[in-house]
Amino acid sequence: MTSPPLRERPHQERSQPLEAPAVIRTRFSNALSQMYREEVPQYGTLLELVADINAAAVRRDPSLLAHGPRSTRLDVERHGAIRLGTPYELSTIRRIFAVMGMHPVGYYDLSVAGVPVHSTAFRPVDGDSLSANPFRVFTSLLRLELIRDQVLKELAAEILRKRSIFTARALELTHHAEVVGGLTKAETEEFVGEVLKTFRWHDEATVSRDTYERLRSAHRLIADVVCFKGPHINHLTPRTLDIDTAQAEMPLRGIAPKESIEGPPARTVPILLRQTSFKALEEPVRFALSHAEGTHTARFGEIEQRGLALTHKGRALYDTLLQLARSEQGGDAPRYEDRLAEAFKAFPDTLDALRRERLGFFRYALLRQTALPAGSDFDIDDLVDQGIVSATPITYEDFLPVSAAGIFQSNLGDAEPKTACAEGAQAEFEQALGAPVLDAIALYQAEQDASIAEVIRDINRLAP
Ligand code: OOG
Ligand code: NI
């Protein structure tokens, strides 16, 4: 039974205060975590492991929290991932996430790694919203145009055209939130419950075993996106303060991690993002028509450690060094971890050097009230040196395309055929999304600039 349309509700109910988007996001993220814990018990084990490791890391070094994430943020911090099939699904999920204060940031082209998708990350964008709850969802859109077999491509498109992954009530409440500018407490509860249904696992495929096998033989991801009623959440990732210990302890808790950690090597000052995962589970499914039984692998677990957001200059250096470590393989080449550590010796590893060389982004704040001559030119580095201004590293809130490709691939198996290596298609992606994606580096730059402007304002206010 559906609830009555919103316009028929008594006036009183409509004048209830609206929840902040961050509150809706937290409700949703908690509900999703709860659902995934019930669906995939290993995710619960992973959460326990990360909580233990984070507590131990903070006991060893309490400054981790002082200079890093607020503990209240760390406890709720996680990201998820979904894979969608059509432009309609992508543009609708954009509208749904907007109600939760999450917006598309960045374009990730995975086709370079032979994975037939391109992606964005929906996340909060402003500082207050991020510190309230930084929940993000890495969202991929299948690129059907990369399927070479025309008949199969048409079949996949036809199956996707027929499905509807959102409940009528979720769409109604989203429209209502857009018109009114938000949701009340009661509407939020209903909205969260309705949207959650889109992310749920379905152990019944919508296609016959034959169709599943045909799509799977083109690419496993195609079968994963096309053959089910909805875009089941395929992993949820808690944030750890010590990913090396997490990687080492996973086997002790009965979880088999992927071989190596994606991203930069272990460092004194963490930069960007390091990630590791456990392999996707083989789960029983039933096919349509014959009710034949089979298995499908899609859902896995992942852990990540976040560090300093890098400037264009820092990111270019990261990309170059990563490429260097990845290119020398085989023969007598040392282990990947050793090559990576060796390559990254060229990346400065103190907060001071990272800031002075403009490799990373920092948030500046006036520490003590000091009157400086009016109108003088302020050099922010000098002010930090003199202990007048503090510089706090800005956390990287996004993803890394090479790492994402590594995470996808660790779940696909070696025999996986690769689809045609294509060019990125950001314009097509944005067309499907119905909006441009935001530029991540521009967001960090704006945050740093605003903090410097505030320091200057504070100083000028005190000027004689
Ligand atoms: C997404 C894989 C990428 C990450 O953290 O880089 C990802 C997927 O498997 O759908 O989640
Ligand atoms: Ni992930």
Side-chain angles (χ1 to χ4, degrees):
M1 286 274 41
T2 52
S3 319
L6 290 152
R7 60 185 173 283
E8 287 173 22
R9 297 230 166 139
H11 179 257
Q12 254 176 332
E13 206 172 313
R14 266 189 282 139
S15 58
Q16 295 283 315
L18 300 178
E19 295 283 18
V23 170
I24 306 177
R25 178 166 70 254
T26 298
R27 290 271 147 72
F28 179 73
S29 162
N30 287 345
L32 190 62
S33 181
Q34 186 58 41
M35 181 178 84
Y36 200 56
R37 219 171 314 184
E38 282 158 20
E39 289 184 352
V40 179
Q42 288 90 330
Y43 169 63
T45 311
L46 209 59
L47 284 182
E48 285 162 22
L49 170 66
V50 166
D52 291 350
I53 286 172
N54 287 353
V58 170
R59 270 198 304 276
R60 268 198 321 273
D61 179 6
S63 77
L64 279 175
L65 283 187
H67 301 295
R70 284 210 257 120
S71 63
T72 48
R73 171 177 154 163
L74 192 59
D75 292 339
V76 298
E77 178 145 3
R78 60 182 76 97
H79 83 249
I82 52 169
R83 305 157 183 168
L84 302 172
T86 67
Y88 167 76
E89 292 174 0
L90 182 65
S91 60
T92 306
I93 209 80
R94 170 179 62 76
R95 293 173 48 214
I96 288 173
F97 283 142
V99 175
M100 305 183 203
M102 296 157 75
H103 306 282
V105 179
Y107 173 74
Y108 300 87
D109 172 21
L110 280 308
S111 73
V112 290
V115 182
V117 303
H118 46 183
S119 321
T120 190
F122 289 95
R123 68 163 175 91
V125 290
D126 68 84
D128 288 346
S129 194
L130 280 164
S131 58
N133 186 326
F135 177 58
R136 331 162 172 77
V137 179
F138 191 89
T139 304
S140 301
L141 177 65
L142 185 61
R143 290 179 71 180
L144 276 183
E145 75 272 17
L146 300 184
I147 303 183
R148 295 193 191 95
D149 178 336
Q150 288 303 316
V151 176
L152 201 60
K153 185 196 303 191
E154 196 32 58
L155 174 67
E158 179 63 23
I159 297 167
L160 288 171
R161 250 195 309 276
K162 284 199 202 128
R163 77 174 183 180
S164 61
I165 65 171
F166 307 106
T167 69
R169 189 67 183 149
L171 296 174
E172 223 168 46
L173 284 164
T174 301
H175 177 71
H176 172 71
E178 288 168 343
V179 171
V180 174
L183 298 174
T184 63
K185 195 169 183 220
E187 288 163 356
T188 295
E189 216 156 284
E190 200 188 353
F191 175 78
V192 165
E194 290 294 322
V195 172
L196 204 58
K197 292 178 186 164
T198 296
F199 291 74
R200 183 194 282 166
W201 170 247
H202 298 274
D203 59 9
E204 280 176 37
T206 56
V207 301
S208 68
R209 179 197 281 275
D210 177 57
T211 302
Y212 176 87
E213 293 299 347
R214 281 171 67 198
L215 291 166
R216 190 177 185 281
S217 67
H219 200 287
R220 259 201 231 200
L221 274 179
I222 299 173
D224 183 53
V225 174
V226 175
C227 301
F228 295 89
K229 194 167 174 293
H232 35 257
I233 180 92
N234 69 52
H235 65 282
L236 274 178
T237 305
R239 176 175 170 186
T240 180
L241 296 172
D242 181 359
I243 199 164
D244 296 292
T245 304
Q247 174 85 348
E249 285 198 12
M250 268 155 78
L252 305 181
R253 306 219 187 181
I255 305 173
K258 75 191 276 299
E259 248 162 64
S260 55
I261 295 173
E262 299 287 347
R267 295 163 41 91
T268 309
V269 180
I271 52 170
L272 297 173
L273 176 64
R274 301 180 72 209
Q275 300 171 298
T276 184
S277 60
F278 67 77
K279 293 235 162 76
L281 315 167
E282 195 166 307
E283 300 180 271
V285 289
R286 256 186 334 274
F287 295 102
L289 306 176
S290 66
H291 302 291
E293 290 179 9
T295 59
H296 179 68
T297 49
R299 303 192 302 163
F300 60 100
E302 187 190 36
I303 300 179
E304 68 188 13
Q305 179 168 2
R306 291 187 173 266
L308 176 70
L310 299 185
T311 60
H312 277 295
K313 183 183 171 197
R315 179 55 186 269
L317 181 58
Y318 170 78
D319 286 338
T320 304
L321 300 179
L322 185 72
Q323 195 47 45
L324 185 68
R326 291 171 68 92
S327 59
E328 1 160 343
Q329 297 180 18
D332 297 331
R335 281 190 327 138
Y336 176 67
E337 279 78 7
D338 298 333
R339 297 201 307 271
L340 192 66
E342 185 57 32
F344 273 78
K345 282 184 180 159
F347 209 115
D349 197 11
T350 64
L351 281 175
D352 214 44
L354 290 162
R355 181 172 49 78
R356 282 175 186 287
E357 295 181 32
R358 303 288 182 259
L359 292 166
F361 287 111
F362 291 81
R363 200 178 300 109
Y364 296 91
L366 197 61
L367 275 180
R368 42 185 175 84
Q369 310 234 315
T370 313
L372 296 168
S376 55
D377 253 354
F378 304 118
D379 181 88
I380 199 78
D381 289 329
D382 288 348
L383 295 179
V384 174
D385 284 346
Q386 292 161 36
I388 298 170
V389 165
S390 64
T392 310
I394 295 179
T395 300
Y396 189 61
E397 307 286 356
D398 293 283
F399 295 87
L400 295 167
V402 176
S403 299
I407 300 282
F408 268 109
Q409 270 150 1
S410 75
N411 281 298
L412 292 174
D414 298 331
E416 189 56 37
K418 295 195 171 177
T419 41
C421 186
E423 296 276 291
Q426 183 167 345
E428 284 81 352
F429 184 83
E430 291 179 328
Q431 175 102 35
L433 183 66
V437 297
L438 300 167
D439 175 352
I441 292 191
L443 291 171
Y444 300 118
Q445 182 75 54
E447 190 177 355
Q448 175 173 288
D449 290 350
S451 75
I452 294 175
E454 195 168 335
V455 165
I456 293 173
R457 248 195 329 273
D458 288 349
I459 289 175
N460 283 336
R461 206 176 298 139
L462 295 165

